[in-house]
Amino acid sequence: MTTSRPGPTSDEPWRRPETDDGAASGEPTPPRPTPGGGPVGYPGPPPTVAPPTGWRPPVHLQANPPRQLPPQDMIALDAQEQRAQRVTWGVGAVAGVILVALVCLLCTRALF
């Protein structure tokens, strides 16, 4: 359950301060009429002007066409990938053997 606070209950603290021209502080200023006599409100974006023809700087250098990539030897690439995989598995196996040996050594020292 909410309770009301003591003090003013209206929106008096949130009103705009009075201006020099004597406009009421709580009333919004009247909108200005549009030049075409159309509806009052947002007049829309300002009109755009197209750039003059030839406004871009001249291009004196042309880029070279892209080069052709060398052909790929898929059989040689597969062989290299298999060799790299064997090396990776070998290093992993050696590291695993060393870790297992260290764990066994530490467990035997802790038990005895």
Side-chain angles (χ1 to χ4, degrees):
M1 179 173 187
T2 59
T3 59
S4 61
R5 292 194 211 169
T9 58
S10 67
D11 290 334
E12 187 66 34
W14 307 110
R15 290 192 182 197
R16 293 182 189 163
E18 292 194 26
T19 58
D20 294 338
D21 60 356
S25 62
E27 300 171 11
T29 57
R32 298 182 194 148
T34 56
V40 177
Y42 178 64
T48 58
V49 179
T53 57
W55 66 275
R56 294 183 188 264
V59 178
H60 297 289
L61 298 175
Q62 295 293 330
N64 293 332
R67 297 177 290 164
Q68 290 291 332
L69 292 175
Q72 295 182 355
D73 186 7
M74 298 306 281
I75 296 172
L77 286 175
D78 288 339
Q80 288 176 353
E81 186 176 351
Q82 288 175 356
R83 281 195 302 268
Q85 187 176 15
R86 274 189 238 125
V87 169
T88 302
W89 281 98
V91 169
V94 170
V97 169
I98 291 173
L99 287 176
V100 167
L102 284 175
V103 168
C104 290
L105 180 67
L106 291 174
C107 287
T108 56
R109 290 197 50 112
L111 292 177
F112 299 111

